[in-house]
Amino acid sequence: MNNIESILRFELRPWLNKNLQPDDYYSPELRSNPLIKEEFTPQYKLVFGVSPFSIRTKFYQRLIDNDISGYLNSFFKEIDGKSSNLIAYQLKKIKEKIYAFLKEINELIGRNSFDLSLIGTKICDFSVDRAHKESTFIFHYMLSALIKCYLEIQNRLSAHIHDDDKMGISDIYCRILNKPLPEYIYIQEILTLSIEQENEINARKPEPESTYVAQFAKEKHSAFMAVISPYLFMELPKIKDLNPKAQNRLLKEILENNICYSVAMLSYLGYLDYLKKTYNLSKEMIYKHISKALKTDTRTIKGNCLVLNPNSKEDRYKYQADQFIEKVELDYNYISSGKPLV
């Protein structure tokens, strides 16, 4: 990872005078560095919340992406067919290297006040203090890219890692960076269907008029999973206790019922308390997270969450999640037993 090390420590540091060049300078540099394609099936994707707003940031983004893809391509080829002892040794080395990078980047971000929220707002003016904003983009993007890199390696070598030693995104933030999981996470797990699931979907052969509805449901499911997966939603005890078929039925009920039902079910599953206790999310952060997952406005989620408290003075005529408390528990029990819902 020569480029990443150089950006962080040596010749490619973005604040050096020789690297503070206009976009015209970086355009040919970008073209001369074509994107390196991944030669493996990735399990994660980086969906960064801020688009590169200059050719310079796009150039640095390319250097980072190529470093990560090139390293993973080479690393996976190198360990292919190797002994468990050699794989364990190589894993230890890259783990130490990535952790060192992450800690150094995190310290640099804090020391230089590279606050990502300053470049993520709709009213941001990139022409003001441009160099500082570009560095903010570069180092936050590098941080996310390295986390994704480690997750890809961990996934590939999962059989060689004890379950207690596996790190999720929240573990990396809390245990390596010593900070709570941020509200917005830019790494998403790529959800893939098993052969059995694909065959089942293909066997259905929906009629033309139902194609749009099926596509909409699939997109809604994908969007929901993309938001909740980083928070290990599927690891909740009440969900882990279900078999895969029951889990799919449960997700279908959450996504196809009204928002009041969905909030009540998420509360019954323990997801709201889990977000607070495990990730230290505030109530407002939880409301925003759930609204994003269910594709609705934050106020609707807030109102329905509040009425779950019997002492709340929230408008129970407008927000009715409390009316579904018994219903969601009953549905969950039917789903877990394999019985049809009533």
Side-chain angles (χ1 to χ4, degrees):
M1 298 185 190
N2 295 332
N3 286 334
I4 287 177
E5 188 170 15
S6 184
I7 294 170
L8 185 57
R9 302 169 182 166
F10 304 119
E11 293 299 308
L12 286 173
R13 285 174 291 174
W15 54 79
L16 297 180
N17 288 333
K18 67 175 184 175
N19 294 325
L20 293 171
Q21 303 292 339
D23 279 353
D24 288 346
Y25 172 86
Y26 287 102
S27 292
E29 293 290 321
L30 182 64
R31 289 193 295 270
S32 65
N33 281 274
L35 188 64
I36 295 176
K37 294 183 179 180
E38 295 168 327
E39 298 172 359
F40 57 94
T41 303
Q43 296 301 308
Y44 297 88
K45 60 181 177 180
L46 184 54
V47 186
F48 202 57
V50 181
S51 298
F53 49 87
S54 66
I55 303 299
R56 192 166 89 104
T57 53
K58 195 169 184 178
F59 170 69
Y60 272 89
Q61 182 186 49
R62 177 68 56 81
L63 292 180
I64 295 167
D65 287 341
N66 282 351
D67 244 20
I68 297 294
S69 296
Y71 179 83
L72 290 176
N73 289 342
S74 175
F75 181 73
F76 290 154
K77 286 180 182 178
E78 182 181 346
I79 64 169
D80 189 31
K82 294 297 189 295
S83 67
S84 295
N85 287 339
L86 182 58
I87 290 175
Y89 172 72
Q90 295 284 16
L91 180 62
K92 182 176 183 294
K93 282 176 54 180
I94 187 56
K95 186 175 181 179
E96 291 173 349
K97 186 172 187 176
I98 291 178
Y99 284 5
F101 277 150
L102 290 175
K103 290 177 181 178
E104 191 171 345
I105 294 168
N106 187 53
E107 291 173 1
L108 186 147
I109 287 172
R111 189 168 62 248
N112 293 279
S113 300
F114 291 151
D115 186 350
L116 190 60
S117 66
L118 297 179
I119 63 173
T121 63
K122 293 181 179 179
I123 60 173
C124 178
D125 184 351
F126 294 120
S127 66
V128 177
D129 202 8
R130 188 180 185 86
H132 185 270
K133 287 183 171 67
E134 288 179 329
S135 291
T136 299
F137 174 92
I138 291 165
F139 287 104
H140 277 280
Y141 187 86
M142 188 190 296
L143 187 78
S144 294
L146 282 165
I147 293 175
K148 174 189 175 296
C149 176
Y150 180 75
L151 292 174
E152 292 286 7
I153 293 172
Q154 179 176 257
N155 178 78
R156 183 68 170 261
L157 303 181
S158 179
H160 300 273
I161 305 173
H162 191 281
D163 286 345
D164 291 339
D165 295 328
K166 292 177 182 176
M167 302 277 281
I169 298 174
S170 61
D171 296 315
I172 293 174
Y173 273 94
C174 297
R175 292 160 53 186
I176 305 303
L177 303 181
N178 294 311
K179 62 198 303 184
L181 194 70
E183 180 179 358
Y184 298 107
I185 303 169
Y186 304 114
I187 304 161
Q188 296 178 3
E189 186 173 2
I190 299 174
L191 302 175
T192 56
L193 296 175
S194 66
I195 295 175
E196 292 79 7
Q197 289 174 313
E198 289 181 348
N199 290 338
E200 182 181 350
I201 291 173
N202 292 333
R204 293 172 189 167
K205 294 182 179 179
E207 295 299 321
E209 60 268 21
S210 66
T211 301
Y212 173 78
V213 176
Q215 180 63 24
F216 178 78
K218 183 178 179 181
E219 291 175 356
K220 192 173 182 180
H221 177 273
S222 297
F224 179 77
M225 294 302 295
V227 174
I228 64 170
S229 291
Y231 292 88
L232 304 182
F233 175 80
M234 301 303 290
E235 297 298 312
L236 290 173
K238 280 189 171 70
I239 298 180
K240 286 190 69 175
D241 287 345
L242 302 176
N243 61 46
K245 184 176 180 180
Q247 289 177 353
N248 287 334
R249 286 184 64 196
L250 179 63
L251 288 174
K252 183 174 182 292
E253 294 303 317
I254 292 173
L255 294 174
E256 294 187 3
N257 275 285
N258 61 46
I259 294 298
C260 305
Y261 178 99
S262 302
V263 170
M265 180 61 84
L266 291 175
S267 176
Y268 174 74
L269 295 173
Y271 191 49
L272 307 183
D273 289 338
Y274 166 77
L275 289 172
K276 179 181 178 181
K277 295 175 181 177
T278 305
Y279 299 105
N280 198 30
L281 296 189
S282 66
K283 289 183 178 180
E284 293 299 326
M285 292 171 69
I286 292 173
Y287 302 150
K288 289 181 181 178
H289 170 68
I290 300 298
S291 67
K292 185 177 180 182
L294 296 177
K295 289 188 172 298
T296 188
D297 62 281
T298 304
R299 184 63 184 92
T300 296
I301 298 299
K302 179 178 181 178
N304 279 291
C305 286
L306 290 176
V307 296
L308 294 173
N309 180 354
N311 299 320
S312 173
K313 299 186 184 299
E314 188 59 85
D315 186 349
R316 296 180 185 275
Y317 179 79
K318 185 175 182 180
Y319 307 108
Q320 302 179 353
D322 58 324
Q323 298 182 26
F324 290 88
I325 293 176
E326 294 182 2
K327 168 68 173 170
V328 297
E329 182 175 0
L330 182 64
D331 284 357
Y332 176 85
N333 290 332
Y334 273 111
I335 289 171
S336 64
S337 63
K339 297 178 181 178
L341 301 184
V342 295

